[in-house]
C-alpha cells in the first residue's frame, strides 16, 4: 500500500506549468548603448531598515567598473534570494553623460526581520522531539543572521549561531557557533556532546567576494559516552583550512551554477585533542534549469579519515541528510550510524534531485506582522552511498553500499529554513519517511 501511494503521488507533485522562474526587471537598457561604458554611480531607493552599505557592498557590479548586464542580473537575483526584500528591480539611465544605476527594493514586513516557530521530529520509536527556533535576520540593518534553538524530548539540546557577512568594511564572513546535545537513549548508551567553533571566510577577490574564498576554522569540543560499565570522555579540538568556489546565481534555492568545497581538519594533542586524526571533506554541486520550470541538482560528497578515530567518529548511511529511505528507522537522521546500521571510516554520497515549485511565489499581508513570502517545492530524488574502512570502496569485504529513490516536499520560511517531508524506497522495497528541519 505504501509503495502504491508512493507511485501515485509522483505525477501529482510534478504537474507541468505550475510555476515559472522569475526574471529580474531592468528598465532603460533599450534606450542606452552601454558597451564599454563605465558605471558612474549606484543609487538605492525603497530600503528603510536595511542600510545602504549593507546592500551596496554585496554587489559584484560597482562604480568605476565597466557596465556588465550579466553581473547586474546576478546581483538582482542574489538580492532577491536573501530573504529581505519583497521585490527587486533596476533602472539604468544617463545624466549629463554619466551612467547611473538605480536599484529599487521593497522590504518585507517584520516577519523577514525576526521569526519564532516550533519544529517537531521523531526518532525510530516515534518519540517526539520538540524544538523552538528563533531567527533574527538583518540585525542593525547589516544582514547579520542570528539563530537560537532549544529542543526537548528524546534529545535535549541548545544551538546558537551568529553569522556576519562583513567585518567592518571588509568582506570577511565570520561565524560563531555553539551546540550542545544530550541524547535520552533509555536502554541505549548515554551520550552528551558540546562544542563551539569560529569560522572566518577570506575572499580571494574583493570585487567578487563570494566566488572564491579561503576558510580558517577553530573548533573546541568534548564528548561523553557510556556503554554499560565503560565510559569515554573525549576532547575534540580541531583546526581546519578550506577552499570554496561558489558560482551559483542564487544562494537560496539555486537554479543554475556550480559550487565546490574542500575542508581539511586536524585533530591533534598539540591543541588539546584526545585524538590524532586527519579528516578531508570534499563537496560539489551543479544546478541546471530544465525546460518547463524544473531544476536539476546534482551533488556529491566524499569524506576520508586517517589516524586515531574518536568514539562514534565513523560515518553512517541513512537519514534525512544521507541516503534517504535507508535509515533503519531513524526519522530525523541525527543518529545515522547507530542502532546496527553500517558504519565506516570513509564515505561517498551522490544524489540527484529534480525540483519544481508547487505554486508561484506568493506574498501574504498579515496584520501587525507585514508581508510574508510563502514558497514550496516538490522533488524527485535518487541517492547512493558507499562506506568503507580500509583499502578501496570497491573491496566488497570492507565496504557497504546502497541506493534509494524517493519523493519529497519542502516548505521554505522567509529566512531560508526548510521544513522537509521526504519518503524514500530502500532496496528491500520498504518506504522510509523523514520529517525535519535543516537550519542554514
Amino acid at each position: 500500500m505504501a509503495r502504491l501511494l508512493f507511485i501515485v503521488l509522483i505525477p501529482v507533485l510534478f504537474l507541468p506549468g505550475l510555476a515559472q522562474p522569475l526574471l529580474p526587471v531592468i528598465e532603460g537598457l533599450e534606450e542606452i548603448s552601454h558597451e564599454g561604458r563605465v558605471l558612474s554611480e549606484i543609487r538605492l531607493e525603497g530600503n528603510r531598515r536595511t542600510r545602504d552599505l549593507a546592500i551596496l557592498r554585496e554587489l559584484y557590479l560597482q562604480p568605476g567598473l565597466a557596465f556588465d548586464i550579466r553581473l547586474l542580473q546576478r546581483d538582482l537575483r542574489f538580492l532577491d534570494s536573501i530573504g529581505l526584500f519583497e521585490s527587486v528591480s533596476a533602472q539604468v539611465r544617463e545624466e549629463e553623460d554619466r551612467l547611473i544605476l538605480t536599484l529599487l527594493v521593497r522590504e518585507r514586513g517584520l516577519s523577514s526581520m525576526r521569526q519564532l516557530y516550533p519544529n517537531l521530529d521523531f526518532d525510530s520509536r516515534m518519540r517526539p522531539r520538540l524544538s523552538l527556533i528563533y531567527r533574527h535576520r538583518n540585525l542593525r540593518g547589516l544582514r547579520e543572521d542570528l539563530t537560537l534553538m532549544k529542543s526537548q524530548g528524546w534529545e535535549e539540546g541548545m544551538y546558537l549561531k551568529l553569522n556576519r557577512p562583513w567585518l567592518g568594511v571588509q568582506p570577511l564572513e565570520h561565524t560563531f557557533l555553539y551546540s550542545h546535545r544530550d541524547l535520552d537513549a533509555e536502554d541505549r548508551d548515554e551520550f552528551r556532546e558540546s562544542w563551539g567553533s569560529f569560522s572566518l571566510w577570506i575572499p580571494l577577490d574583493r570585487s567578487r567576494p563570494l566566488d572564491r574564498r579561503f576558510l580558517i576554522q577553530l573548533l573546541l569540543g568534548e564528548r561523553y559516552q557510556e556503554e554499560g560499565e565503560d565510559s569515554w570522555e573525549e576532547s575534540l579540538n580541531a583546526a581546519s583550512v578550506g577552499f570554496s568556489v561558489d558560482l551559483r546565481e542564487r544562494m537560496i534555492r539555486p537554479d543554475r551554477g556550480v559550487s565546490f568545497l574542500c575542508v581539511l581538519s586536524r585533530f591533534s594533542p598539540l591543541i588539546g585533542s584526545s585524538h590524532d586524526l586527519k579528516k578531508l571533506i570534499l563537496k560539489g554541486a551543479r544546478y541546471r534549469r530544465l525546460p518547463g520550470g524544473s531544476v536539476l541538482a546534482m551533488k556529491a560528497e566524499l569524506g576520508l579519515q586517517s589516524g586515531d578515530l574518536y568514539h562514534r567518529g565513523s560515518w553512517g548511511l541513512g537519514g534525512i541528510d544521507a541516503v534517504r529511505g535507508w535509515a533503519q528507522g531513524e526519522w530525523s537522521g541525527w543518529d545515522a550510524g547507530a542502532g546496527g546500521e553500517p558504519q565506516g571510516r570513509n564515505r561517498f554520497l551522490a544524489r540527484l534531485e529534480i525540483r519544481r515549485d508547487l505554486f508561484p511565489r506568493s506574498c501574504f499581508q498579515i496584520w501587525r506582522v507585514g508581508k510574508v513570502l510563502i514558497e514550496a517545492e516538490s522533488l524527485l530524488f535518487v541517492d547512493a552511498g558507499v562506506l568503507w574502512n580500509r583499502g578501496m570502496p570497491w573491496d566488497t569485504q570492507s565496504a557497504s553500499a546502497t541506493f534509494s529513490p524517493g519523493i519529497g516536499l519542502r516548505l521554505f520560511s522567509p529566512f531560508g529554513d526548510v521544513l522537509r517531508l521526504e519518503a524514500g524506497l530502500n532496496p528491500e522495497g520498504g518506504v522510509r519517511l523523514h520529517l525535519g528541519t535543516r537550519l542554514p
Side-chain angles (χ1 to χ4, degrees):
M1 183 64 183
R3 279 178 288 179
L4 178 61
L5 178 63
F6 181 91
I7 296 173
V8 169
L9 281 176
I10 292 179
V12 175
L13 297 179
F14 281 82
L15 290 174
L18 288 179
Q20 298 295 328
L22 297 176
L23 298 177
V25 177
I26 306 175
E27 300 178 3
L29 293 179
E30 61 278 1
E31 291 88 2
I32 305 174
S33 176
H34 304 297
E35 186 173 357
R37 299 287 301 278
V38 174
L39 183 63
S40 300
E41 184 181 354
I42 298 179
R43 300 173 181 173
L44 290 172
E45 295 183 6
N47 55 307
R48 294 174 299 158
R49 292 183 296 269
T50 305
R51 300 182 188 178
D52 288 1
L53 177 63
I55 300 176
L56 294 174
R57 65 188 182 185
E58 300 284 358
L59 305 178
Y60 283 174
L61 194 59
Q62 295 286 337
L65 299 178
F67 182 82
D68 189 330
I69 183 61
R70 292 170 299 180
L71 288 184
L72 177 56
Q73 290 174 333
R74 182 267 170 207
D75 288 339
L76 292 178
R77 277 189 287 265
F78 176 77
L79 293 176
D80 181 63
S81 72
I82 60 177
L84 297 179
F85 307 110
E86 176 188 342
S87 64
V88 180
S89 60
Q91 292 178 348
V92 184
R93 63 181 182 271
E94 281 185 306
E95 291 185 4
E96 300 178 353
D97 204 31
R98 299 172 69 242
L99 191 62
I100 307 297
L101 169 64
T102 302
L103 297 179
L104 302 99
V105 300
R106 181 180 298 173
E107 292 180 318
R108 294 185 190 157
L110 294 178
S111 62
S112 68
M113 310 298 289
R114 55 184 66 88
Q115 189 176 37
L116 181 67
Y117 60 93
N119 177 63
L120 178 67
D121 50 14
F122 301 87
D123 70 352
S124 59
R125 290 180 290 174
M126 293 300 294
R127 295 182 303 169
R129 181 189 62 186
L130 178 64
S131 304
L132 191 63
I133 302 172
Y134 173 76
R135 294 286 309 277
H136 196 131
R137 185 72 178 271
N138 209 30
L139 277 77
R140 300 183 293 119
L142 293 175
R143 207 167 72 79
E144 296 173 337
D145 195 345
L146 174 67
T147 303
L148 296 171
M149 182 177 72
K150 182 68 174 68
S151 59
Q152 291 286 138
W154 58 269
E155 179 185 83
E156 297 181 2
M158 171 68 72
Y159 176 92
L160 184 151
K161 179 180 180 182
L162 175 62
N163 185 76
R164 306 180 73 243
W166 288 74
L167 186 60
V169 296
Q170 299 298 321
L172 297 176
E173 182 173 336
H174 48 292
T175 303
F176 302 89
L177 180 61
Y178 171 77
S179 175
H180 172 75
R181 298 172 56 200
D182 191 344
L183 185 62
D184 179 17
E186 293 185 358
D187 57 333
R188 293 167 53 189
D189 313 332
E190 182 178 352
F191 177 73
R192 294 195 303 270
E193 177 185 73
S194 299
W195 56 273
S197 69
F198 172 74
S199 305
L200 179 66
W201 289 95
I202 305 173
L204 301 183
D205 184 348
R206 193 189 187 286
S207 64
R208 304 174 69 96
L210 299 177
D211 276 10
R212 292 170 176 84
R213 301 188 296 176
F214 186 74
L215 168 68
I216 300 176
Q217 183 183 70
L218 179 64
L219 182 146
L220 302 176
E222 59 181 13
R223 283 183 171 184
Y224 176 79
Q225 173 83 30
E226 283 188 5
E227 288 186 359
E229 298 181 356
D230 299 324
S231 63
W232 293 264
E233 190 169 357
E234 306 170 303
S235 296
L236 303 179
N237 302 340
S240 303
V241 293
F243 173 73
S244 74
V245 176
D246 196 336
L247 303 179
R248 298 174 296 171
E249 293 192 350
R250 291 171 56 93
M251 301 297 107
I252 299 176
R253 303 182 65 198
D255 56 9
R256 63 175 62 184
V258 297
S259 65
F260 172 77
L261 173 66
C262 172
V263 179
L264 176 63
S265 301
R266 178 66 186 271
F267 298 79
S268 173
L270 295 177
I271 54 176
S273 178
S274 302
H275 308 275
D276 191 358
L277 173 68
K278 297 177 183 178
K279 179 184 291 188
L280 175 66
I281 298 177
L282 301 174
K283 295 182 180 181
R286 181 179 181 183
Y287 305 89
R288 182 176 181 181
R289 188 181 300 159
L290 301 177
S294 298
V295 175
L296 174 66
M298 297 170 286
K299 302 179 181 181
E301 176 184 338
L302 174 66
L304 304 174
Q305 299 185 99
S306 62
D308 181 16
L309 196 66
Y310 56 85
H311 192 61
R312 276 200 176 185
S314 57
W315 276 298
L317 289 178
I320 201 168
D321 294 321
V323 181
R324 293 161 285 186
W326 204 71
Q328 297 290 322
E330 291 294 344
W331 278 41
S332 70
W334 283 53
D335 255 353
E341 301 164 17
Q343 301 180 46
R345 177 181 290 264
N346 307 306
R347 182 174 76 172
F348 175 76
L349 294 175
R351 58 179 43 179
L352 185 147
E353 297 180 348
I354 299 179
R355 307 169 178 172
R356 188 171 186 84
D357 286 347
L358 278 178
F359 45 78
R361 291 171 39 168
S362 305
C363 262
F364 297 93
Q365 182 76 31
I366 300 179
W367 181 64
R368 302 192 71 173
V369 173
K371 292 187 176 180
V372 178
L373 180 67
I374 302 297
E375 297 180 88
E377 69 181 12
S378 57
L379 68 148
L380 298 174
F381 65 81
V382 177
D383 293 348
V386 181
L387 294 174
W388 73 98
N389 289 316
R390 304 292 182 184
M392 302 304 291
W394 49 81
D395 182 359
T396 57
Q397 293 187 359
S398 64
S400 176
T402 190
F403 73 96
S404 170
I407 59 176
L409 291 172
R410 292 178 182 169
L411 179 65
F412 296 85
S413 81
F415 288 122
D417 299 333
V418 186
L419 177 61
R420 304 165 62 183
L421 174 60
E422 298 172 355
L425 285 173
N426 58 33
E428 291 75 31
V431 177
R432 297 290 184 184
L433 296 177
H434 300 271
L435 173 65
T437 292
R438 172 185 287 178
L439 294 171

